[in-house]
Amino acid sequence: MNRLQDKVAVVSGGASGIGAAVVRLFVEEGARVLACDIQPPLDAALRTLLDEAPEKVRFTTCDASKESDVAAAVALATETWGRLDAAVACAGVPGQGSDIDLAVDEWDRIMAINARGVFLLTKHSLPPMIAGGGGSITNISSAYGVVGAPGFAAYCASKGAVRTFTKSTAVEHAHQRIRANSIHPGVIETPMLQGIFDRSDDPEATRAAFSAQQPNGFNGAPEDIAWGCVYLASDEARFVNGVELPIDGGLLAG
């Protein structure tokens, strides 16, 4: 407990899945958190937390791909709590389609949320972090940001961009006591993943195919990723910078 005591954080994609789990665990660990998302909070535990602890957590509507929305969200956090110590970019979309038949508009949509959204949160989080003497940026990439996968051309490209962009941030701002790291989840049971199953011709067969990628034989939970975010935002990780952290049940080890 209290690993993030008195820290202030902004979490994009905070309405559900990994983002909601990050918000909840950050608050449990003593942080004050602004959750932002284009959709209202879907996570029941998060909704309860918002009702019961408004001094610790707030929610604002934000399109991660729009600079004005992201800038306003960061400003709201700093105005509410006086500083910014951590930013976690969880907003993302899956996006399926091969490179030969993917529509240009769909490519642009996926890149706008998954890659531009990370850039925008970093861009607007850096000034208050630098002014406050440092901070931690954690960007949620994917195992598919390290290796390729058929049928996920734009998704792989966008998550690969997150991986290397994060390293650029890490080396550019290390002297300002900014740490930037990426997390690379394996197959995680989130509403986004469930959407992929539901849109397939055979949801159970698709679920089984995804699970079969995991050497441990089962899918992860949002909290598995959120605990990694807690660590990277904490002072325990003060010497961790520019790292790509797989939390994937061994998927990338094979």
Side-chain angles (χ1 to χ4, degrees):
M1 298 293 290
N2 302 324
R3 294 165 72 187
L4 303 177
Q5 190 64 41
D6 297 327
K7 292 186 184 294
V8 174
V10 173
V11 179
S12 71
S16 65
I18 292 171
V22 170
V23 175
R24 289 188 277 104
L25 291 185
F26 270 40
V27 172
E28 286 181 17
E29 293 295 330
R32 290 160 291 177
V33 185
L34 179 72
C36 51
D37 205 310
I38 197 169
Q39 58 190 350
L42 304 177
D43 183 275
L46 175 58
R47 291 199 301 268
T48 298
L49 190 60
L50 286 163
D51 289 338
E52 295 180 349
E55 75 284 359
K56 296 179 180 179
V57 58
R58 294 185 60 177
F59 178 85
T60 188
T61 301
C62 174
D63 182 338
S65 69
K66 292 185 178 179
E67 184 164 17
S68 58
D69 281 16
V70 176
V74 172
L76 177 59
T78 56
E79 290 165 4
T80 301
W81 292 299
R83 58 185 294 117
L84 184 65
D85 303 284
V88 184
C90 295
V93 292
Q96 293 172 267
S98 72
D99 47 14
I100 198 168
D101 60 15
L102 187 69
V104 171
D105 287 348
E106 179 66 358
W107 171 278
D108 290 344
R109 183 186 74 88
I110 294 166
M111 294 297 288
I113 299 167
N114 292 359
R116 187 200 301 162
V118 168
F119 156 64
L120 290 174
L121 187 60
T122 295
K123 175 182 178 179
H124 290 282
S125 296
L126 280 169
M129 286 183 181
I130 293 168
S136 168
I137 296 171
T138 304
N139 297 322
I140 304 302
S141 179
S142 169
Y144 286 173
V146 180
V147 297
F152 288 88
Y155 183 79
C156 290
S158 67
K159 293 300 187 176
V162 171
R163 173 177 176 250
T164 49
F165 172 75
T166 304
K167 292 180 183 296
S168 176
T169 301
V171 296
E172 184 165 352
H173 297 285
H175 70 286
Q176 294 165 309
R177 302 182 66 83
I178 301 295
R179 296 182 297 105
N181 299 284
S182 58
I183 291 180
H184 298 260
V187 182
I188 307 297
E189 293 283 352
T190 64
M192 185 173 77
L193 185 66
Q194 186 61 49
I196 293 176
F197 299 155
D198 292 344
R199 288 190 295 272
S200 69
D201 295 332
D202 188 337
E204 288 307 312
T206 304
R207 178 186 292 276
F210 271 79
S211 297
Q213 299 178 61
Q214 295 292 151
N216 56 3
F218 63 90
N219 300 336
E223 287 76 11
D224 295 320
I225 309 306
W227 280 120
C229 295
V230 168
Y231 167 67
L232 290 174
S234 75
D235 294 339
E236 299 163 19
R238 68 186 185 93
F239 205 55
V240 180
N241 193 27
V243 163
E244 51 190 78
L245 174 62
I247 304 180
D248 65 356
L251 192 155
L252 289 173

